[in-house]
């Protein structure tokens, strides 16, 4: 499922076993304790493939591996006409990494109270844009610790493939970005974790904190799969860079679980699962057998009131202070965070 220009090693792909993919595909809003419901395609781009690929169908493991293992590809690998179609129909426009870097730097400038913490932007006169990495150990302002930074909440709205969160590749060009040059909000957190921990236990504790405080939502299911996969691959990348080996399946499964909560499917304008708002039909039979039908549209859609939609409001997870203890986990509606 990767762009051919993106270096995803065979053992990384093997790490995304059906067990891990099952976790990554879960929609926590619609699932119950006994029944898992997956995210839906929410696009007609794949309906030509037949059963299981319609707009409203859930994305299942068997539909994204094996013979279907190449159907979900990053935007950069899609044909130009397919990119244009999605831009027209879903306003899908992806941002190059240098712009993501500029905007992410603004966030860090404010948090640290100084500029050029992770890198220095270079805007050449020929129109090329890049950045020079600060390889020095990141230092923190008085009264703030590395754990404060890692545990600070970050979110990418309408995240697509999540280029603001993780930057394994440029979503516009498809060009791979080496780990030391990555600029995503989560990339920066994981760099800080690696700089301030020694043992795998310490690193995993910091990484869990980073993931639990990094969020994003997206409408289209294929983008959401790519975003969730990218966050899991990123976990593998930084663990391997730090310790020279793959993380355990137990560690991968837990991070996949957090990702499946924090990167969720939602109509960002309504706060509901895509296309769950509906009209209500009431049928009344009169004394003489005459039938009258009344159709009432969703009040939230009709009036533009975010709190009055009759669709299924998306549920997210508040992991509690510092991301632990686990019993502090709290489920809440996303719209209830909007003032």
């Amino acid at each position: 499922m990767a762009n051919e220009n993106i270096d995803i090693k065979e053992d990384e792909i093997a790490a995304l076993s059906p067990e891990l993919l099952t976790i990554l595909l879960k929609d926590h809003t619609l699932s119950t304790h006994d029944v898992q419901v997956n995210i839906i395609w929410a696009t007609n781009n794949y309906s030509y493939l037949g059963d299981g690929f319609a707009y409203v169908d859930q994305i299942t493991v068997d539909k994204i591996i094996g013979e279907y293992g190449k159907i979900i590809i990053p935007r950069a690998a899609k044909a130009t006409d397919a990119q244009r179609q999605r831009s027209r129909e879903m306003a899908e426009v992806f941002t190059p990494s240098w712009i993501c870097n500029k905007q992410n730097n603004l966030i860090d400038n404010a948090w640290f109270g100084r500029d050029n913490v992770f890198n220095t932007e270079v805007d050449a006169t020929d129109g090329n844009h890049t950045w020079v990495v600060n390889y020095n150990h990141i230092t923190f302002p008085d009264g703030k610790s590395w754990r404060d930074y890692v545990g600070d909440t970050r979110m990418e709205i309408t995240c697509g493939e999540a280029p603001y969160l993780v930057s394994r590749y440029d979503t516009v060009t498809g060009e791979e970005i080496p780990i030391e040059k990555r600029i995503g909000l989560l990339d920066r957190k994981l760099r800080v974790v690696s700089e301030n921990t020694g043992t795998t236990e310490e690193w995993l504790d910091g990484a869990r904190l980073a993931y639990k405080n990094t969020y994003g939502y997206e409408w289209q299911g294929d983008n959401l799969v790519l975003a969730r996969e990218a966050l899991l691959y990123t976990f593998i990348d930084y663990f391997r860079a730090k310790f020279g080996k793959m993380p355990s399946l137990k560690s991968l499964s837990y991070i996949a679980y957090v990702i499946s909560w924090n990167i969720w499917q939602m109509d960002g304008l309504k706060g509901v699962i895509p296309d769950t708002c509906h009209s209500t039909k009431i049928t009344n039979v009169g004394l003489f057998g005459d039938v009258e039908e009344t159709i009432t549209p969703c009040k939230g859609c009709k009036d533009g009131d975010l709190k009055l939609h009759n669709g299924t409001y998306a549920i997210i997870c508040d992991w509690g202070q510092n991301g632990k203890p686990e019993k502090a986990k709290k489920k809440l509606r996303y719209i209830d965070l909007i003032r």
Side-chain angles (χ1 to χ4, degrees):
M1 282 179 283
N3 185 333
E4 292 179 356
N5 294 326
I6 303 166
D7 179 24
I8 297 178
K9 301 173 181 63
E10 289 185 6
D11 56 351
E12 289 180 353
I13 295 174
L16 290 193
S17 62
E19 176 183 346
L20 287 173
L21 287 173
T22 297
I23 298 171
L24 285 180
L25 291 175
K26 185 172 184 178
D27 185 315
H28 288 274
T29 296
L30 299 174
S31 295
T32 66
H33 179 72
D34 299 318
V35 179
Q36 171 165 328
V37 177
N38 290 351
I39 60 177
I40 63 172
W41 290 102
T43 173
N44 287 315
N45 289 162
Y46 307 95
S47 58
Y48 70 92
L49 291 169
D51 292 343
F53 292 95
Y55 186 103
V56 298
D57 286 336
Q58 297 180 42
I59 304 177
T60 55
V61 172
D62 64 301
K63 294 298 188 290
I64 57 174
I65 63 173
E67 65 177 306
Y68 300 118
K70 298 290 185 181
I71 68 164
I72 296 183
I73 56 176
R75 177 180 171 84
K78 291 183 174 77
T80 302
D81 57 346
Q83 294 183 17
R84 289 173 178 167
Q85 178 187 359
R86 290 168 70 104
S87 294
R88 288 194 305 269
E89 295 178 357
M90 299 300 296
E92 180 184 81
V93 179
F94 281 26
T95 310
S97 294
W98 67 269
I99 292 181
C100 295
N101 183 53
K102 281 181 175 289
Q103 294 180 310
N104 287 351
N105 280 349
L106 291 174
I107 297 172
D108 282 332
N109 292 348
W111 195 92
F112 282 89
R114 66 179 192 272
D115 296 348
N116 306 324
V117 176
F118 290 90
N119 61 68
T120 301
E121 301 158 22
V122 178
D123 299 321
T125 56
D126 63 1
N128 290 324
H129 305 273
T130 185
W131 55 92
V132 176
V133 177
N134 170 19
Y135 288 101
N136 295 322
H137 190 99
I138 304 299
T139 60
F140 293 85
D142 291 341
K144 291 183 176 180
S145 70
W146 71 267
R147 287 188 66 88
D148 292 329
Y149 179 77
V150 170
D152 205 40
T153 301
R154 299 282 189 270
M155 184 174 75
E156 181 179 356
I157 64 172
T158 57
C159 68
E161 295 168 26
Y164 284 91
L165 299 184
V166 291
S167 56
R168 301 187 83 236
Y169 58 92
D170 188 302
T171 55
V172 174
T173 67
E175 182 178 349
E176 181 187 8
I177 300 176
I179 192 169
E180 65 273 11
K181 286 199 67 175
R182 295 183 188 175
I183 51 78
L185 297 170
L186 182 58
D187 290 312
R188 298 170 189 229
K189 290 187 177 191
L190 292 177
R191 171 182 169 175
V192 167
V193 170
S194 293
E195 288 183 348
N196 289 277
T197 59
T199 67
T200 57
E201 182 178 356
E202 291 170 342
W203 191 92
L204 288 170
D205 179 64
R208 286 191 289 265
L209 178 61
Y211 275 81
K212 286 180 177 179
N213 289 281
T214 303
Y215 295 84
Y217 65 81
E218 166 63 18
W219 176 300
Q220 297 181 117
D222 55 353
N223 283 342
L224 193 61
V225 170
L226 290 169
R228 289 179 173 186
E229 286 187 343
L231 265 70
L232 188 59
Y233 284 136
T234 295
F235 176 82
I236 295 171
D237 289 342
Y238 281 89
F239 186 92
R240 288 178 61 169
K242 177 72 173 176
F243 300 107
K245 61 181 181 180
M246 288 286 289
S248 68
L249 180 59
K250 179 179 179 181
S251 295
L252 286 168
S253 296
Y254 187 75
I255 290 299
Y257 171 70
V258 175
I259 292 169
S260 67
W261 264 111
N262 284 23
I263 311 298
W264 74 96
Q265 189 165 43
M266 185 175 74
D267 177 340
L269 295 178
K270 301 177 183 179
V272 302
I273 301 301
D275 295 315
T276 53
C277 287
H278 54 278
S279 297
T280 303
K281 182 170 69 173
I282 300 175
T283 302
N284 294 312
V285 180
L287 290 175
F288 301 102
D290 50 313
V291 177
E292 180 180 330
E293 291 185 345
T294 303
I295 298 177
T296 304
C298 167
K299 187 170 179 58
C301 295
K302 179 175 179 291
D303 298 340
D305 191 322
L306 184 63
K307 299 297 180 73
L308 295 179
H309 290 289
N310 62 11
T312 304
Y313 281 106
I315 302 296
I316 64 171
C317 187
D318 176 357
W319 300 93
Q321 188 175 12
N322 291 323
K324 58 181 184 182
E326 187 67 23
K327 64 183 179 181
K329 183 176 71 173
K330 179 174 60 176
K331 301 175 186 179
L332 65 159
R333 299 192 310 176
Y334 172 74
I335 63 160
D336 292 332
L337 298 174
I338 301 174
R339 294 181 175 85

